[in-house]
C-alpha cells in the first residue's frame, strides 16, 4: 500500500472531522453522552489552530489524521507544558489494518524529535483495543490517570525521547 502523509489544509476540514466521528463511532455505547462526544470529536480540524494536523492519503483519499502539539503549544492541563503531544489519531474504518495509525504516530514522533522534545505523550483508554497495544509496542508506557470523558476512563501514556536516535 502506498500511503502519503502531508500537512492538513483548509480543504481537509470536513473530511477530517467526518473521519474522526466515524473512527470513534464504534465506542458510542461506552460514553454516557455520545452526542456531546461526537460533536466535540467532530471538530477535530479546530486542533489546527493550536497545533499541526497531519493527514494520511491512500489512492488520493484522506484515510486518517492526527493532531501534533509541540512542546511550546498550549495543551490540556493533564499533560506537562513542555511535552510534545499527539491528539485524536483517527483512521477511517475502511482503512484499518493498513498501517495508517502507526504511520501517523511515527510522523508525530519524528516531529517531536525535530522539536527537541524529551517526552512525547498521548491519552487513550483501555477500550481502544487496537490503538493502545500499538502505542505500547511503540514504547509508550502508562504514567497516570487523565480525566474521564463522559464515563470513559482515560490514561496518560508517555514515551521518553532523549536517548533515542531512530523510531
Amino acid at each position: 500500500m502506498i500511503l502519503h502523509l502531508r500537512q492538513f489544509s483548509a480543504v481537509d476540514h470536513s473530511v477530517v472531522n467526518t473521519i474522526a466521528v466515524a473512527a470513534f463511532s464504534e465506542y458510542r455505547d461506552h460514553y454516557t453522552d455520545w452526542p456531546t462526544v461526537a460533536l466535540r470529536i467532530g471538530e477535530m480540524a479546530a486542533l489546527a489552530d493550536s497545533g499541526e494536523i497531519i493527514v494520511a492519503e491512500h489512492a488520493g483519499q484522506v484515510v486518517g489524521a492526527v493532531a501534533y502539539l509541540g512542546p511550546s503549544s498550549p495543551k490540556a492541563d493533564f499533560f506537562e507544558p513542555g511535552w510534545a503531544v499527539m491528539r485524536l489519531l483517527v483512521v477511517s474504518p475502511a482503512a484499518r489494518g493498513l498501517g495508517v495509525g502507526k504511520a501517523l504516530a511515527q510522523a508525530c514522533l519524528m516531529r517531536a524529535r525535530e522539536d527537541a522534545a524529551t517526552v512525547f505523550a498521548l491519552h487513550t483508554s483501555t477500550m481502544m483495543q487496537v490503538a493502545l497495544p500499538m502505542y505500547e509496542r511503540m514504547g509508550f508506557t502508562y504514567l497516570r490517570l487523565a480525566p474521564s470523558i463522559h464515563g470513559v476512563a482515560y490514561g496518560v501514556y508517555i514515551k521518553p525521547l532523549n536517548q533515542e536516535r531512530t523510531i
Side-chain angles (χ1 to χ4, degrees), residues 1-6 12 15-16 18-20 22-23 44 54-66 88-101 103-104:
M1 177 191 77
I2 298 173
L3 189 65
H4 174 67
L5 301 183
R6 62 172 175 78
D12 300 317
V15 71
V16 163
T18 299
I19 289 172
M44 179 181 175
I54 301 165
V55 297
E57 288 184 336
H58 173 62
Q61 299 293 314
V62 174
V63 294
V66 65
L88 283 175
L89 189 153
V90 296
V91 176
S92 169
R96 290 189 179 151
L98 302 176
V100 176
L104 288 167

Side-chain angles (χ1 to χ4, degrees), residues 7 52 54 66-73 75 82-87 103-122 138 140 158-167:
Q7 291 297 311
E52 302 171 34
I54 301 165
V66 65
Y68 168 80
L69 305 174
S72 61
S73 298
K75 54 194 69 81
W83 290 351
V85 172
M86 177 170 63
R87 297 280 319 276
L104 288 167
Q106 287 175 327
C108 286
L109 283 164
M110 185 169 50
R111 185 70 175 97
R113 287 185 184 94
E114 290 170 1
D115 285 346
T118 57
V119 174
F120 189 73
L122 58 90
M138 294 178 77
F140 287 88
I158 62 169
K159 179 178 176 76
L161 300 178
N162 54 350
Q163 296 178 340
E164 291 192 13
R165 300 280 186 236
T166 60
I167 295 177

Side-chain angles (χ1 to χ4, degrees), residues 8-165:
F8 171 88
S9 69
V11 298
D12 300 317
H13 190 275
S14 65
V15 71
V16 163
N17 289 344
T18 299
I19 289 172
V21 174
F24 272 80
S25 288
E26 72 179 275
Y27 307 114
R28 68 182 333 121
D29 295 337
H30 295 267
Y31 293 102
T32 57
D33 187 356
W34 170 248
T36 298
V37 171
L39 185 64
R40 192 166 128 207
I41 291 169
E43 296 174 349
M44 179 181 175
L47 290 170
D49 295 340
S50 58
E52 302 171 34
I53 297 178
I54 301 165
V55 297
E57 288 184 336
H58 173 62
Q61 299 293 314
V62 174
V63 294
V66 65
Y68 168 80
L69 305 174
S72 61
S73 298
K75 54 194 69 81
D77 291 342
F78 53 86
F79 294 119
E80 298 297 323
W83 290 351
V85 172
M86 177 170 63
R87 297 280 319 276
L88 283 175
L89 189 153
V90 296
V91 176
S92 169
R96 290 189 179 151
L98 302 176
V100 176
K102 185 174 181 181
L104 288 167
Q106 287 175 327
C108 286
L109 283 164
M110 185 169 50
R111 185 70 175 97
R113 287 185 184 94
E114 290 170 1
D115 285 346
T118 57
V119 174
F120 189 73
L122 58 90
H123 77 296
T124 192
S125 172
T126 57
M127 77 176 175
M128 309 280 180
Q129 294 182 355
V130 173
L132 181 54
M134 178 189 75
Y135 298 140
E136 290 172 334
R137 286 189 303 274
M138 294 178 77
F140 287 88
T141 57
Y142 175 83
L143 178 66
R144 62 178 174 243
L145 282 175
S148 293
I149 300 174
H150 294 284
V152 174
Y154 276 76
V156 174
Y157 291 76
I158 62 169
K159 179 178 176 76
L161 300 178
N162 54 350
Q163 296 178 340
E164 291 192 13
R165 300 280 186 236

